[in-house]
Amino acid sequence: ANLDQVLKKYYNENIDKYMSEEIRKVDYILIKKVDYKNNFLPTEKEISEYYTNNKELFLEKERRSFLQFNFNTLEKAESFKEKIKFINNYLEVEKFANENGIMYNIFEELSYQDLLEEIANPLFNLQINQKSKIIETNIAKHIIILKSIKKESQLSFNEVKNQIIEKLIEIEKNNNFDTLKEEINQSIIDGKSILNISKDLNLGELNYIEALTQNFTNFDQNESKFYNDLIKNSFATSKDFVSDIIDLDE
């Protein structure tokens, strides 16, 4: 066999090595929900009505402050409980513990939901200065003593006004965004081009990539989710075809 035949045979047997990557030009519209945040600001009346109609959302849960003693054996817990049996004030218990080198923790203004169930349940049944029974958890044996109670209270309008504003902006932004997605979907169904969709709905200039390949890597690491989805959908779409909306949870 002459050299040309050898080369031709090698080429045919290794043709995959000489395939160029498929390249696609892609136009796309990138719509960020965060860009819609400042398009709406609720009125004082709307803010006030939301507060009045949703007061249960602005209840400050009851909170309790307490001392917690932790022991690695039941015997040590029982011994300590016996020693403080006749001390009826948490400050005196604290003093006794300090004088005898007994370690403890002080927790301030915690709600029921902030605590392990095994601790929260007995704690929220104690009176001020009352000691719990020995509580056994997977961590240790505990004795808790209630210091104080901050009763459940209704937060005032002024305390939660900014929170309500943010909530109403978020609701309006989501509603507007959902409406926009419906309009885009209808435009796609109607067969409009991506350029006309962008113009009709004031979505700004088109973004484009002139030479997109399946191994395209010209982006920052924090953009990988977007570009990976763009590549996958671009190579699954026919020429001049407008894809469905691609949602990115970012």
Side-chain angles (χ1 to χ4, degrees):
N2 61 34
L3 181 59
D4 285 346
Q5 290 174 321
V6 172
L7 291 175
K8 187 173 183 180
K9 181 181 179 186
Y10 179 84
Y11 173 78
N12 289 330
E13 290 175 351
N14 297 274
I15 196 166
D16 289 345
K17 294 181 180 180
Y18 304 101
M19 297 282 288
S20 63
E21 279 195 281
E22 181 178 344
I23 296 174
R24 297 196 172 196
K25 180 181 183 297
V26 177
D27 294 323
Y28 64 93
I29 303 168
L30 181 60
I31 306 166
K32 297 180 180 179
K33 189 184 287 188
V34 68
D35 293 339
Y36 288 77
K37 182 172 182 178
N38 296 324
N39 293 348
F40 168 76
L41 192 64
T43 64
E44 284 292 324
K45 182 181 178 182
E46 288 170 328
I47 300 166
S48 178
E49 285 180 351
Y50 188 88
Y51 176 75
T52 301
N53 295 332
N54 297 278
K55 280 193 171 183
E56 70 281 359
L57 298 178
F58 307 110
L59 283 174
E60 180 72 25
K61 299 289 186 183
E62 180 179 313
R63 295 179 175 273
R64 296 194 166 206
S65 301
F66 61 100
L67 307 180
Q68 181 173 308
F69 295 86
N70 307 307
F71 306 93
N72 55 15
T73 67
L74 185 59
E75 291 73 24
K76 289 179 181 178
E78 289 173 340
S79 173
F80 176 73
K81 189 165 177 63
E82 182 64 26
K83 289 174 183 175
I84 63 170
K85 181 165 61 174
F86 298 111
I87 304 177
N88 296 315
N89 183 289
Y90 80 86
L91 289 172
E92 292 300 317
V93 175
E94 198 172 351
K95 181 181 176 184
F96 174 82
N98 290 334
E99 290 174 349
N100 290 275
I102 300 169
M103 302 295 292
Y104 61 92
N105 301 106
I106 301 176
F107 295 98
E108 300 288 352
E109 296 188 358
L110 297 183
S111 70
Y112 193 103
Q113 290 73 24
D114 293 329
L115 298 161
L116 291 172
E117 180 76 22
E118 300 96 318
I119 299 293
N121 194 43
L123 174 66
F124 276 75
N125 283 289
L126 293 177
Q127 301 299 316
I128 292 175
N129 290 316
Q130 187 179 1
K131 312 174 198 76
S132 71
K133 295 178 180 179
I134 295 171
I135 303 163
E136 298 192 48
T137 68
N138 293 332
I139 303 169
K141 321 300 177 189
H142 316 275
I143 295 171
I144 54 179
I145 303 170
L146 182 61
K147 283 178 57 182
S148 62
I149 300 172
K150 184 179 180 182
K151 293 288 189 183
E152 181 178 84
S153 61
Q154 182 72 54
L155 295 172
S156 70
F157 174 73
N158 286 333
E159 287 178 296
V160 298
K161 182 177 179 180
N162 288 338
Q163 183 181 336
I164 293 172
I165 290 172
E166 288 298 316
K167 180 67 175 177
L168 292 176
I169 288 173
E170 186 68 20
I171 291 170
E172 184 69 14
K173 180 176 68 176
N174 288 338
N175 288 341
N176 287 343
F177 206 70
D178 288 343
T179 299
L180 176 61
K181 285 170 67 176
E182 289 174 7
E183 292 174 341
I184 293 172
N185 278 326
Q186 187 58 53
S187 295
I188 293 171
I189 292 169
D190 292 343
K192 291 185 178 181
S193 70
I194 191 169
L195 180 60
N196 285 335
I197 292 172
S198 182
K199 286 181 177 178
D200 291 348
L201 300 176
N202 298 313
L203 300 177
E205 295 293 323
L206 293 182
N207 299 282
Y208 68 91
I209 299 175
E210 193 69 42
L212 184 70
T213 68
Q214 297 199 54
N215 295 310
F216 183 81
T217 57
N218 188 23
F219 52 82
D220 294 333
Q221 186 59 38
N222 61 355
E223 299 174 310
S224 60
K225 174 75 169 74
F226 166 73
Y227 279 99
N228 287 337
D229 279 3
L230 179 68
I231 292 166
K232 181 179 71 174
N233 283 279
S234 296
F235 281 87
T237 300
S238 302
K239 184 175 180 293
D240 295 328
F241 182 81
V242 180
S243 74
D244 292 334
I245 293 173
I246 302 163
D247 284 313
L248 297 173
D249 296 327
E250 295 179 352

